[in-house]
Amino acid sequence: MIRIKARAPTRRSAAGPVRRGVRRARTLALPTLWGGAAILYKLACPLARQNGIGARIVTCAVFFAVGTGLIVHVRQALLRELRQARRVAGAAQSVLLRPPPARLDGLRVAAGQLSADRGAAIGGDLYEAIATEHGVRVVMGDVRGHGLAALATVAAVLGSFREAAHDEPELGCVLHRLDRALDRHLRERAHAEHPWAGQDPDTPVAEEFVTVLILEIRRDGELRALNCGHPWPYLLSGHGVEPLTRAEPLPPLGPFPLPREVDPVVCGHLLTGDSLVLYTDGAEDARDARGRFFSLPGVLTEAARADPVSPQTVLRTVLTSLLRHTAGTPTDDIALLILRNEGGRAQRGAPSRGAGNGAAGCPQPAADDGNVTTGPRPHGRAAGQATALYEGEPVARPASCEAFQSTD
């Protein structure tokens, strides 16, 4: 049974329409006064009825002042509305792609992002770092396309990861949760775009896909990773900048079903003083006016020479170089994420373990006989793109580059 209780409007709710009426009257007051002054001058002022050159100049000046006042008033009203819309959009975007904490379970974290869409703070790139009972789990992904059109897919993948990272003991189960969430989202979107079909299509949006990299940093610093079509990260250490692993990644999520069991790649340990740098392909694919690609490893090598090497310094160096390389107008979304071991995890000389247990025991919706290509980490270290955190002043950038985010 549903009961609806009627009540008199409260003082606050009754005052709402009154306040809105006062604001509306205040908004119309100035244009009304300007228009009334112009009409009064035309009808009542003797100078307005004269045909001399002086009278005409005065009349033109009066109407010019009235028109200028109206334009300035309208402009100020539009700017107020724009500032309010930006505040609302900024709050919504910060909830979707929230900045990671500066310190996370013994790690220092820094993140930054550039959007290819003017006015947008986020785009088709996604990242998240979460401290769980299984270790620090990190996701970095890239949705096909860029800008605001990819936000719905970003929300579906990130929402699934934030739940699965805590619930699932194995990385393979986390990846399967993300795959099912993406498939469900694409089917719902295809049904909404083509409601006349009557039933869900077998391939909802065949051209849509998401590249995803999932990392797990355990208490002893051991690194485990699952990669679906995403660039492998870099590791900044005393040995320089080198790739995390050269193992062949899985296909991106979306076009192909995942194997039933997915074994994570064991990538050695994140040692004290090492920085793990994750990025999206927009960083390496960025071109200058002459068509030359951005040299991310070279910039990271330059950043690794800083003393001390901090996520903030690396982020500042990479983003400044990217903006200089692209003249402040990147053509694709760029996301960077850096994790630095400040001594809260493994010590140097920690032994490397064998391959993990995979996703056995993870409930699967359907069987698949596909194989997974994995391999041991050849150098026992990681290398990735730099994403630094800012402490103090932000990097100066052109106004055309709208989306930047950093954590302190």
Side-chain angles (χ1 to χ4, degrees):
M1 178 184 295
I2 300 176
R3 296 181 179 179
I4 301 176
K5 182 178 180 181
R7 63 182 180 88
T10 62
R11 180 180 301 176
R12 182 177 179 181
S13 61
V18 176
R19 286 198 298 267
R20 286 194 295 270
V22 171
R23 286 197 300 266
R24 190 176 296 112
R26 193 183 308 160
T27 302
L28 297 176
L30 187 58
T32 303
L33 289 176
W34 281 107
I39 295 174
L40 184 64
Y41 170 80
K42 186 65 177 177
L43 297 179
C45 182
L47 189 62
R49 293 191 291 271
Q50 296 180 9
N51 293 325
I53 185 65
R56 291 181 180 180
I57 292 176
V58 173
T59 301
C60 290
V62 170
F63 280 94
F64 179 78
V66 170
T68 303
L70 289 175
I71 292 173
V72 170
H73 176 76
V74 172
R75 181 178 181 275
Q76 290 176 345
L78 291 177
L79 286 177
R80 285 194 297 269
E81 292 292 332
L82 178 60
R83 284 192 291 267
Q84 177 64 19
R86 283 183 176 274
R87 283 194 293 268
V88 173
Q93 292 175 141
S94 64
V95 170
L96 176 59
L97 195 63
R98 58 196 181 198
R103 286 174 175 79
L104 186 67
D105 200 11
L107 303 172
R108 290 192 68 182
V109 185
Q113 180 166 358
L114 299 173
S115 176
D117 277 4
R118 182 179 178 85
I122 58 177
D125 294 343
L126 59 98
Y127 58 81
E128 183 66 283
I130 302 175
T132 72
E133 60 180 324
H134 315 293
V136 174
R137 287 180 167 177
V138 184
V139 66
M140 173 70 77
D142 189 357
V143 177
R144 176 186 177 273
H146 61 79
L148 299 176
L151 287 186
T153 306
V154 170
V157 175
L158 273 182
S160 176
F161 175 79
R162 286 166 179 164
E163 290 291 330
H166 291 282
D167 297 341
E168 302 294 346
E170 298 293 339
L171 278 188
C173 297
V174 176
L175 184 61
H176 276 281
R177 288 272 294 269
L178 267 61
D179 184 55
R180 292 197 292 270
L182 176 63
D183 181 72
R184 184 166 54 249
H185 163 71
L186 295 180
R187 288 181 181 275
E188 291 173 353
R189 200 182 81 181
H191 183 71
E193 293 175 355
H194 307 285
W196 55 84
Q199 54 183 329
D200 293 339
D202 293 333
T203 55
V205 188
E207 69 277 8
E208 291 294 332
F209 63 86
V210 181
T211 66
V212 171
L213 172 69
I214 303 178
L215 285 176
E216 180 180 271
I217 308 173
R218 299 194 170 186
R219 289 286 180 182
D220 60 355
E222 184 183 50
L223 285 167
R224 296 186 173 218
L226 284 173
N227 190 345
C228 293
H230 200 81
W232 285 106
Y234 290 100
L235 179 72
L236 276 66
S237 67
H239 298 270
V241 177
E242 50 187 341
L244 175 63
T245 180
R246 302 187 187 279
E248 189 71 19
L250 294 165
L253 297 182
F256 307 102
L258 278 177
R260 187 172 186 178
E261 292 187 3
V262 183
D263 294 328
V265 180
V266 180
C267 306
H269 289 74
L270 184 66
L271 306 179
T272 301
D274 290 352
S275 297
L276 188 63
V277 187
L278 295 81
Y279 63 97
T280 56
D281 58 4
E284 288 189 323
D285 294 343
R287 301 195 187 196
D288 60 8
R290 299 171 58 183
R292 295 175 299 182
F293 288 101
F294 180 71
S295 177
L296 182 60
V299 175
L300 289 178
T301 302
E302 175 187 347
R305 296 195 185 104
D307 188 21
V309 179
S310 68
Q312 293 81 4
T313 304
V314 176
L315 182 60
R316 180 177 303 155
T317 302
V318 174
L319 289 182
T320 302
S321 301
L322 270 169
L323 292 173
R324 187 185 303 116
H325 186 79
T326 60
T329 56
T331 57
D332 194 6
D333 299 326
I334 300 171
L336 301 165
L337 179 66
I338 296 179
L339 302 156
R340 178 176 172 82
N341 188 355
E342 293 289 337
R345 303 228 157 212
Q347 300 299 318
R348 293 196 175 274
S352 178
R353 302 185 192 174
N357 297 326
C362 179
Q364 302 297 330
D368 194 307
D369 295 328
N371 297 319
V372 185
T373 303
T374 59
R377 182 180 176 184
H379 302 294
R381 296 195 172 269
Q385 279 185 339
T387 309
L389 181 71
Y390 282 91
E391 288 180 350
E393 76 286 349
V395 162
R397 61 189 179 91
S400 60
C401 197
E402 291 294 335
F404 171 69
Q405 189 176 45
S406 66
T407 315
D408 197 349

